[in-house]
Amino acid sequence: MKAFAYVNPATEKDAIAALSPERGRVLPLAGGMDLLGMMKDYIISPERLVNVKHLDSTISAGDSGLRIGAAAKLVDLAEHAGVRRQYPALAASADDVGTPQIRHMGTVGGNLMQRPRCWYFRNEEFHCLKKGGSRCFAVEGENQYHAIFGDGPCHIVHPSSLAVPIIAYGGRLRVAGPNGPREIDAGEFFQMPSANLYGESVLQPNELVTHVILPVAGQRSASYEVRFKQSHDWPLATAAVNLTMDGTRIRTARVVLGAVAPIPWRTPAAERVLAGKTITEAVAAEAADAAVAGAKPMSGNAYKIQIAKTG
Ligand SMILES: Cc1cc2nc3c(=O)[nH]c(=O)nc-3n(C[C@H](O)[C@H](O)[C@H](O)COP(=O)(O)OP(=O)(O)OC[C@H]3O[C@@H](n4cnc5c(N)ncnc54)[C@H](O)[C@@H]3O)c2cc1C
């Protein structure tokens, strides 16, 4: 690993002041579960790391919604009684991440900002599109874990399990930078490769994610993940659904798929199928068909269509 300087700021303001507008030169360090691996593999070589473990880590769930400090540990989110009761899709997604060790070290901010797991991107031998090269090696290579939506030109899937329910719940991200804080709809935070090839979000290099803010959840919500049996690896496909109800009838639905596209993939067609209906197996199956109707699998990942539907 290349030598780097380390800054340990006491406040959010000091942390922001220690960052740089130049992409990749200075990076925030939270639990380090993703960042240090990428540095050891020479995928990134920042000059300076800024410790952000001391940012707000409180989780407060109340009548008006949920506020999560970016430095909250995944384990604390998964085990929080209010989150489990009011936002079961989020608690389940946090609980399903990796292993207990990863959930004890990994933070909410780091989970949202972790980089893609594409094996070409993560391998220093491949100078892929995302690293400034001229091609996405997944197109003609091994693409069984890659995207079935999005049309490239880079075919990563978004790695954050938490992002999927956060968007299903209509969450916002509080972001802070040199010009002060701003809030961004989580559904507009993540960017497709066609809009941003070298990053995955609208966050600027000198900004931090400081909080996740969720409105009151619908009356029914759930998430589901499909993984290899007994694997601690990232899911093959996930889904999160958040419903507001009029009695037994669905008033509004938000349906988001994960691990199938370069961003968490909201599916308006499935949401339209569900709105106004009472949930039955047939309605759920119709919504699942609608959710994957536009999928364009690559040579090795058509199987994801079926598991995304089941998810
Ligand atoms: C075996 C294994 C299995 C895993 N399985 C899953 C899974 O199923 N689902 C899933 O979602 N994840 C999974 N992960 C990933 C893991 O959840 C993330 O690596 C972890 O959450 C990252 O959090 P961190 O605090 O360690 O971030 P770090 O590694 O410290 O940072 C990650 C990135 O985020 C940036 N960053 C950190 N905090 C902030 C902030 N506040 N504002 C702006 N940028 C910030 C860093 O600069 C870096 O680029 C797995 C990891 C492993 C090793």
Side-chain angles (χ1 to χ4, degrees):
M1 186 192 289
K2 195 183 135 206
F4 58 89
Y6 179 74
V7 184
N8 196 14
T11 64
E12 180 183 302
K13 197 164 162 245
D14 291 347
I16 290 161
L19 295 173
S20 157
E22 204 182 313
R23 188 172 291 281
R25 200 164 79 78
V26 181
L27 290 173
L29 170 70
M33 301 303 301
D34 186 45
L35 185 64
L36 298 180
M38 289 198 59
M39 289 170 68
K40 286 180 193 166
D41 289 343
Y42 290 96
I43 307 302
I44 52 171
S45 299
E47 285 171 21
R48 186 163 73 218
L49 296 185
V50 179
N51 181 15
V52 293
K53 283 190 279 295
H54 306 310
L55 290 182
D56 188 11
S57 63
T58 53
I59 302 174
S60 45
D63 292 344
S64 58
L66 176 68
R67 188 175 174 91
I68 309 164
K73 297 277 170 63
L74 298 174
V75 63
D76 295 327
L77 187 63
E79 293 179 359
H80 190 281
V83 176
R84 291 175 82 94
R85 193 170 53 248
Q86 297 173 39
Y87 302 90
L90 182 60
S93 294
D95 207 21
D96 281 343
V97 168
T99 62
Q101 289 90 335
I102 292 162
R103 294 192 293 275
H104 275 86
M105 285 301 292
T107 63
V108 169
N111 183 273
L112 293 173
M113 292 305 298
Q114 62 177 299
R115 305 300 312 278
R117 301 306 304 188
C118 168
W119 42 35
Y120 297 111
F121 173 66
R122 293 267 168 171
N123 187 325
E124 65 171 314
E125 307 280 318
F126 290 90
H127 190 51
C128 74
L129 263 187
K130 209 167 183 37
K131 291 184 287 195
S134 58
R135 56 188 275 230
C136 173
F137 290 89
V139 174
E140 288 171 9
E142 301 285 333
N143 52 38
Q144 54 266 49
Y145 302 131
H146 287 79
I148 56 172
F149 291 102
D151 289 332
C154 153
H155 296 267
I156 55 155
V157 295
H158 198 273
S160 168
S161 296
L162 298 190
V164 177
I166 286 172
I167 293 173
Y169 284 121
R172 301 178 70 74
L173 302 184
R174 180 184 180 272
V175 160
N179 300 324
R182 60 191 174 118
E183 281 188 19
I184 305 168
D185 185 328
E188 289 165 14
F189 181 77
F190 300 104
Q191 291 182 295
M192 292 291 285
S194 53
N196 181 359
L197 195 50
Y198 305 122
E200 291 79 42
S201 76
V202 298
L203 194 79
Q204 296 303 304
N206 54 0
E207 291 182 317
L208 291 170
V209 175
T210 67
H211 293 87
V212 176
I213 301 157
L214 301 193
V216 174
Q219 289 88 340
R220 313 262 301 258
S221 60
S223 61
Y224 190 76
E225 300 189 352
V226 181
R227 297 167 182 265
F228 278 122
K229 196 176 173 191
Q230 292 184 337
S231 158
H232 299 306
D233 231 332
W234 282 255
L236 299 169
T238 76
V241 178
N242 178 29
L243 307 176
T244 59
M245 308 291 294
D246 277 328
T248 58
R249 200 174 288 273
I250 299 166
R251 192 180 335 129
T252 61
R254 286 175 73 104
V255 182
V256 185
L257 302 180
V260 293
I263 57 173
W265 197 248
R266 196 166 164 198
T267 59
E271 296 172 1
R272 281 193 295 274
V273 169
L274 293 172
K277 309 247 175 65
T278 299
I279 306 169
T280 61
E281 264 187 43
V283 168
E286 194 190 338
D289 283 338
V292 297
K296 290 187 193 152
M298 304 172 84
S299 57
N301 65 5
Y303 74 97
K304 278 197 175 193
I305 294 178
Q306 180 57 30
I307 60 171
K309 277 168 68 172
T310 330

